[in-house]
Amino acid sequence: MDKQENKKKKLPLGVRLLLLHFKLVLVLLIVVLVWFTFCYFDRVKSTDALPSEYAVYLRTDSIWETAEPLLDLDATLIAMTSPELQKYRDTFLKVKSSRLRKSFFVRTALKRRLDAAVYDGSAIGILDAGILSGAARIVPYAIPHIKKLSGLLEISSNQYGNYYQLNESTFFVFKKNLIIFSTDKMLLENAMTYSNSKLYSKEELSAMTAKLKNPLRILANGKNLLRFVENMDSEKSVEDEKEKNPSALKNYLEAIVPYLSENEFTELTFGITQNEFNLGISVPMNTETDEDHPVLQLLKRESSVPTLLPKFSEDVQYYTLISAGTLQSLKDAILKILPAEKDFSSTWNKSDSVSRIVFNTPLDELLFSWTGDEFAVFGIEGKSEPVFAIKVADEAKRTEIFDRIFSSYLLNSNDSLLVDGVRLPCVQMPGFVLSVLQALNINVPKPYYLIRDGYLYMSQSPENLVAINSGAHNSKRLTGSTNWQRVSSSQTPYSTLSLYYNLERSVPFFVKGNSAMSKILALYNSGRFDLRIKDSVLSVQLQASAVELESSRHIPGFPIELENKTNATLIKSKAKKSKLVFWLENDSSVNSLDCGTFARGKTELPEVQYIVAASEATAKANNGELWAVTKSGMVYLLNGKLESVFGYPILSGVSMTCPPFVYKDSLVLAGNDGVLCFISQTGEVSQFETDAEDGIKSAPAVNGDILAFYEKGFFGGIHIYKNLEPVTKEGPLELDGIAYGSPCLFTAGGKQYTAMITQAGQLYVYDFNGELLDPFPVGLNGVFYMNVAMADGYLFALSAEGEFYRVGLDGKSMRIKIPYFTAKTGRITVCDYDGQAGEEIFISGDGNSLYGFNSLMEMLPHFPVSGYGNPLFVDLNGDNKNDCLAITFDNKISASNVLK
C-alpha cells in the first residue's frame, strides 16, 4: 500500500516543473501583495507635508476626473495662449489628442489624490500614490539606472534626506506614498519635515481633510490670499513701468486685510463646462471693531436689493450697479484707495473752492445733499454711449440745487430738444465738476438728462433717454429675460456691486481686452458678477453662460474663435474657383480659411499692416491671390498656401499714408508726398506723381481705368485720373468743408460722375467735366464720417447718429432712423448677395450689428446679424445660397444663413 501511495503522489517531472514555476509566481505575487499592502498602510499624510501659511489650497481625490474634462474646453485652450502658459500649449495639444486618454492604465494611474498650494511667489504639489505606493517607493532606486535622465536630474540632499532638482525652479522628492513637487527649494525643505499638520488649527485641518462633495475643493487663507494678489499687482505695475506709487487695488487690500477673520477660511467654488462658468469666493470679515476707516464702514453695510434693478427694461445690454452707500461715503473711500498719482484729493479741493466762488455752495452740498445710495452705468441695445443713473433721495433739494446752478451765467440748460414727446435738457458740465468725474474715468462733458421714478439719468445720447422713458411703459423687464435669469440662477438679488453683460449685440468695457481672462469670458457671452456683504462675509460671485446667439442662424462649424484681435476686415480671394477668405490678426499674421474644406492657414509677417485681394489675372498668371504690405512698405504677394510668390517680397521704400489698392492688376502704394508707387504682378516697380500737395489720406477709388481720391483739407478736393491722365485739369473739384473717405465713382445715363459728402452733410455730385449736377449740392441733416455709396441709381449715406439716407440724382431724398444705432465709425458695403436683380446695401456702425437693406430701403430678411466691419457672402453649406460671414466684437468669425 505504501509503495502504491508513493507512486500516486509522485508526479511527472514536467508537471512538477510547471508547479514549481506556479509556486514561485504565487510566492512572488504574495510578496508583491504584502509589499503593496504594507506600503499602502505605512503612509505619510498629505497635510504633514503641506507647509502652512499658504494663500490658496487645492485638493482633488482624482486628478483624472478633475483635469480630463478640462482638456476639451475652449476656455482651457484660450488659457494656454496666455504669455504665462504659452510654452506649455504644444504639450497641452499633444495630451489633448493623445490616445492615452482612452487607456485604462492611464485612467487608473491618475485617479490619485492631489493636494496643491500657492504661496507668495512659489507653489507645491503633493501626489498621494495610494494603492500604487509600492511602485512609487521603488522609483528612487530606478532613477540612477535610467539613461535618459542622466544629466537632466541632479540629486541633492539636506538634513531630511535626498531630493531631486530638474531645473532652477523644479524640485521633487519621494517619501513613502507621496510624490512632492515644488517650485522653491526652501519650500520643499519645509515639506520634508513631514510635521506641518501640527501647525494647523483644528478647524483648518478639518476643512482640509473633510470628505469632498465635489471633484475639487479650494480653500484660501484670506490674509495670505489678499497679500498674494497685492504682490502680483505690485509686480505687474513694475513690469509695466506704470507706478512707483501704490495702486488702487493695493490701497484697497491694505485697508481690508487687517479686518479679515482669524478663525474662518476663505472658500472658493469653481465650475466650468463648455456652456457654463461659475466662480464664487467667500471671505469672512471681522467687522466688530471701532476703526473708522471709510472702506471698512462700507464693508459693515449689509447688501440690499437695488431698487433700480427691477426698473431695467429688456433692452439693457449691460450694467454696473453700485449700492454700497451714499455718494459721500463712496467719496471718502475713494480718497483712501485711489493711487497718489491720481491726486484726487487735490482735484476735489480745487473744485470745492471753485464751487463756493461760483455758486456760493460747497461741492459736498452740490453733489451729496440730494443724491441717494444707488448709482449705475448701463448700456442700451445698439447704442455706444452709456447711461449714468443716480438715485434721488431728496427731490426738493435736487430741484433747488439745479435751479441755483442753472441760474448762473456760467452754466446753461438747453430745454429745446424734444424727442418722441420727451423734453430732454442738455447741460454743459462745469469744468470743476467734470475734472472730478474725469479723475474717476467718467467723461460726460455735455449730457442730456431725464428725471424719472426717483432717478436722474444722464447720457451723451438723447436716444438713450428716450429708450429709458419708453421702457418704463414696457412690461418686459431685464430681470425676466432668459439671458439674465440664466446667469442669475445661483445668485441672489442682494448686492453691493453688480455687473451684468450680454455680448449678443454689444461688448461692455469689462470684457474688452486681449488678456486670457478676457478671451475666456468672451466665450461665455452672457454673465453676471456680484459682490455682496451678508453677516460679515464678503462674497464675490461670477456666473457666466455661453448663450446661443438669437440674432442669426449659424452655419455648422461656426463661429470660429480667433486667437488674436483683428481689424474687422475680411478679404475674399478673386482667383477662379478659390474659396479662400483672408484676414489679419494682431498686425503680425495673415490668416486664411478655405470655406470649402474649412482648412485654416497662417503665416507670420512681422508688422504686416494691410492685405488686398489680387486680381483674377494676377492669380492666373503666378498663383498670387493676396497682396500683403508691412508698415515699412515691404510688399508680399502670397499664394493660396500663404507662401510668398517667387521674386517677392519687394522693398518699395514708400512711407504710406493710406491703405494700398489694386489698379489694372498692379498693387499701388500712396506715399506721403502724393506719389503713387505701382508694383506689377511680375515685381516691376514704377512711380507716378499726382497733383496732391498734402498727401492722400484714404485709399483711392477705382472703377475700370478711372482712379480718384480726395485730398483732405479746406483747400483740397477731388482728383480724378483716367489711364493716369488727369481728368480734372483745372484743379481738384472743390468741396465746401471737410470730407472723409474716397470719392464714389459711378455711371448714369452713359455719363460718368463722382459724388462726395462733407462732414457737415453737403452732398456734391460732379460730372467728369467738373460741372455740378443740378440741383447739387444738397444738404442732409447730421454728421458724416464716411462717404456715400451708389446702388441701383441711388446714393446712400449714413450719419453718425444712425440716420440712413437714400438720395436720387434729382436731389430728392428719403431717410430712416435705425433704432439704437450710431456710426462714428463704420462701413457701407454694396453687393448683390442673392443673385437676383438689384444690389443690396449693408451697413455697420459702432455696435455689434450688421444691417442689410435693398435699394427701396427695406430691411432684408434675417437682418441684422451679429458683426461689424464688412460682410462677405459665400456658400458655406452647399445649398447654392450665399451665407453671411462677418467678424464679431467678441473676436469670432460668425456665419449666418440669411437666405432661405
Side-chain angles (χ1 to χ4, degrees), residues 374-385:
E374 285 187 28
F375 313 92
V377 182
F378 60 95
I380 302 295
E381 180 180 330
K383 306 296 287 185
S384 60
E385 296 289 348

Side-chain angles (χ1 to χ4, degrees), residues 765-791:
V765 177
Y766 281 100
D767 62 23
F768 277 21
N769 294 321
E771 299 292 332
L772 271 170
L773 180 66
D774 185 53
F776 292 91
V778 298
L780 304 180
N781 292 326
V783 179
F784 297 82
Y785 292 102
M786 65 191 83
N787 196 25
V788 296
M790 166 61 70

Side-chain angles (χ1 to χ4, degrees), residues 142-155 165-166:
I143 287 178
H145 303 287
I146 301 176
K147 293 183 179 181
K148 290 185 178 181
L149 297 179
S150 179
L152 295 177
L153 284 181
E154 179 182 342
I155 302 178
Q165 180 173 348
L166 183 60

Side-chain angles (χ1 to χ4, degrees), residues 650-828:
I650 290 175
L651 291 170
S652 69
V654 175
S655 178
M656 293 176 292
T657 55
C658 67
F661 61 100
V662 172
Y663 178 78
K664 290 187 175 181
D665 303 329
S666 293
L667 182 73
V668 187
L669 281 64
N672 53 18
D673 54 359
V675 173
L676 299 180
C677 177
F678 290 77
I679 302 175
S680 72
Q681 60 194 28
T682 58
E684 298 174 355
V685 180
S686 59
Q687 293 188 340
F688 172 75
E689 186 173 349
T690 70
D691 297 329
E693 298 180 358
D694 295 328
I696 304 171
K697 306 301 182 183
S698 296
V702 175
N703 187 358
D705 56 3
I706 304 296
L707 181 154
F709 62 86
Y710 168 66
E711 184 180 1
K712 193 172 183 180
F714 285 101
F715 301 103
I718 301 173
H719 298 256
I720 305 176
Y721 295 85
K722 182 180 179 66
N723 290 320
L724 301 185
E725 293 292 332
V727 173
T728 53
K729 296 181 180 180
E730 297 182 0
L733 305 178
E734 296 181 355
L735 304 179
D736 185 12
I738 296 292
Y740 291 85
S742 297
C744 172
L745 299 173
F746 63 94
T747 301
K751 197 171 183 180
Q752 293 176 310
Y753 295 92
T754 183
M756 199 133 195
I757 190 169
T758 67
Q759 182 181 8
Q762 291 296 309
L763 176 59
Y764 291 79
V765 177
Y766 281 100
D767 62 23
F768 277 21
N769 294 321
E771 299 292 332
L772 271 170
L773 180 66
D774 185 53
F776 292 91
V778 298
L780 304 180
N781 292 326
V783 179
F784 297 82
Y785 292 102
M786 65 191 83
N787 196 25
V788 296
M790 166 61 70
D792 290 348
Y794 295 98
L795 294 169
F796 292 87
L798 180 64
S799 76
E801 295 80 15
E803 292 184 318
F804 187 42
Y805 287 88
R806 188 188 77 171
V807 184
L809 296 183
D810 57 1
K812 295 180 180 180
S813 66
M814 62 178 294
R815 68 173 179 173
I816 60 172
K817 178 69 174 72
I818 303 175
Y820 314 124
F821 184 90
T822 57
K824 292 180 181 178
T825 59
R827 302 184 196 181
I828 302 177

